[in-house]
Structure formats: structure tokens, C-alpha cells
Amino acid sequence: KRLRMSLGFLVLASGLLLAAAREAMERTEQRTGVRVTSLRVSGGGAQSAAALKLTADLFGLPVGMSVAEAATAEPGRPGLRR
């Protein structure tokens, strides 16, 4: 029961974050006049087919994986400022 509750919370939290991201995208489109036509996902979420499908469904856009090898900056990797 505890595991089910934890998974349910994670799904709910993920959905809320995606909904907030969609709202931010729509506001940005309104401000700039530029329409987003597709999304690229990177990091751990890009490894999950379910996460990619949820993102595509919520945004109503095609979703693909980023070509970036690693999206998270780590010490010693390019892109990290100290």
C-alpha cells in the first residue's frame, strides 16, 4: 500500500510539473508570437517511454529525445561554470 501511494504521488507530481511547463510554454508563445511545434526531452526522463508519451499527450506535440549525451552538468564536464 505504501509503494502504491508513493507511485501515485510521483505520477501526480510529474503531471503537475508538466502542466506548469505547458502553461509556461503557452505564455511564452503568446509573448513572442513564436509557436512551439515539437519538444526534445533529455536526462533520465528521456529514457522512459511512459514519460515521453505523457509529455507528448499533455503538450499535444511530438516529443523526441535530445541528442545530448548528458543533460546534467557535472564537475569536469563542459558547460559547468565554477
Side-chain angles (χ1 to χ4, degrees):
K1 185 174 183 179
R2 185 179 181 123
L3 178 61
R4 249 189 251 157
M5 191 179 295
S6 295
L7 289 175
F9 175 76
L10 289 174
V11 169
L12 176 63
S14 296
L16 290 173
L17 288 172
L18 286 171
R22 180 182 173 140
E23 183 177 338
M25 179 193 76
E26 290 171 350
R27 286 183 182 189
T28 300
E29 286 179 330
Q30 289 174 354
R31 287 181 188 153
T32 64
V34 176
R35 183 148 169 80
V36 175
T37 58
S38 67
L39 299 172
R40 295 285 175 251
V41 179
S42 60
Q47 305 303 313
S48 168
L52 292 173
K53 172 128 178 57
L54 178 64
T55 303
D57 290 348
L58 183 67
F59 281 86
L61 294 170
V63 174
M65 290 175 51
S66 174
V67 295
E69 193 172 309
T72 305
E74 297 176 11
R77 291 194 134 207
L80 180 67
R81 292 185 183 168
R82 293 182 185 211

